Amino acid sequence: MGNCGRQCIGLMGGSFNPAHSGHKMVAELALKRLRLNKIWWLVSPQNPLKSAQDMAMLKDRANLARQVARNPNIIVSTIESQLGTQYTIDILCILKKRYPKTRFVWIMGADNFIQFPEWKDWDKIARLVRIAVFDRPGFSLLALSGKMAHRFSAYRIYERQSSHLRRLRPPAWIFHHTLLNQCSATRIRSARMQSL
């Protein structure tokens, strides 16, 4: 992924099983609103909170993610597989050491923000990187009334301050209300199964 210098990089981690237009929409909104230099899609070998039963091969998921991204500022990576990491906290610690001058922003959907307290060392993650949350259909109220939102309420900034997030020291987070994309990897997989 090269030398990052003093850039601000957005990180979107996940299974991308499969990558879809919703991922691309969030990435492009984040690039623009947060004034990021690049976004890295970190395609994970296996999400510890998801079943491996219907998980496509990592290589296939990464290849499809590259086809969906089609943007020179969105870089698809399988670095977690190469490093043997399973948890977000582990890959973040490695990236922070490898790129000490780079400012990272973790980007997630509101659905994952609700689950965030189930992640390993989630409160440490919140103190390690800035977090940008993007709304998903039917999740905003639950996300904004959840454990993470309450525990770190003093560190939330308003949407109109989006471009400032990159300059703030963690913990710092923002919730973006956006046009809602109905695309869902779960729904796509389900539709595929039904068509067989």
Side-chain angles (χ1 to χ4, degrees):
M1 291 185 280
N3 182 3
C4 295
R6 292 193 177 274
Q7 296 188 77
C8 190
I9 305 290
L11 302 172
M12 286 177 67
S15 306
F16 293 92
N17 186 39
H20 53 71
S21 63
H23 294 125
K24 183 174 182 177
M25 183 192 88
V26 166
E28 291 182 337
L29 280 171
L31 281 164
K32 184 177 178 183
R33 291 187 182 182
L34 303 171
R35 296 189 186 164
L36 303 174
N37 298 98
K38 301 274 183 196
I39 289 193
W40 297 345
W41 282 2
L42 305 176
V43 184
S44 66
Q46 174 60 48
N47 182 329
L49 297 176
K50 291 185 178 176
S51 166
Q53 188 176 356
D54 58 355
M55 190 69 66
M57 297 291 290
L58 178 63
K59 179 181 160 191
D60 296 336
R61 288 184 280 128
N63 286 337
L64 181 59
R66 288 183 189 96
Q67 291 171 30
V68 170
R70 283 197 211 124
N71 183 322
N73 293 316
I74 302 173
I75 312 299
V76 176
S77 171
T78 56
I79 191 171
E80 287 187 87
S81 172
Q82 296 156 29
L83 296 172
T85 59
Q86 184 181 14
Y87 297 102
T88 300
I89 187 63
D90 299 330
I91 190 65
L92 288 177
C93 288
I94 290 169
L95 291 175
K96 294 278 283 181
K97 271 188 194 162
R98 195 174 276 192
Y99 306 107
K101 293 181 180 176
T102 301
R103 289 165 290 172
F104 290 107
V105 178
W106 187 262
I107 298 163
M108 65 170 64
D111 52 337
N112 282 319
F113 193 63
I114 294 166
Q115 291 182 331
F116 193 53
E118 297 173 35
W119 295 19
K120 182 185 176 198
D121 294 333
W122 67 277
D123 50 345
K124 188 175 174 186
I125 294 170
R127 295 175 193 285
L128 196 62
V129 293
R130 301 144 194 88
I131 296 174
V133 184
F134 286 82
D135 203 357
R136 290 286 311 274
F139 289 100
S140 58
L141 287 176
L142 283 172
L144 291 172
S145 62
K147 188 173 180 179
M148 165 65 187
H150 280 291
R151 173 144 339 152
F152 289 92
S153 61
Y155 302 100
R156 181 182 175 192
I157 65 169
Y158 295 106
E159 281 186 77
R160 64 179 179 271
Q161 300 170 304
S162 288
S163 62
H164 298 300
L165 183 66
R166 58 184 286 151
R167 292 191 206 95
L168 298 175
R169 276 203 182 143
W173 67 282
I174 190 166
F175 189 95
H176 283 279
H177 297 276
T178 62
L179 289 172
L180 299 179
N181 187 308
Q182 300 294 328
C183 243
S184 152
T186 305
R187 232 180 269 153
I188 291 169
R189 289 194 307 274
S190 178
R192 283 181 185 165
M193 292 301 291
Q194 289 174 5
S195 67
L196 295 177

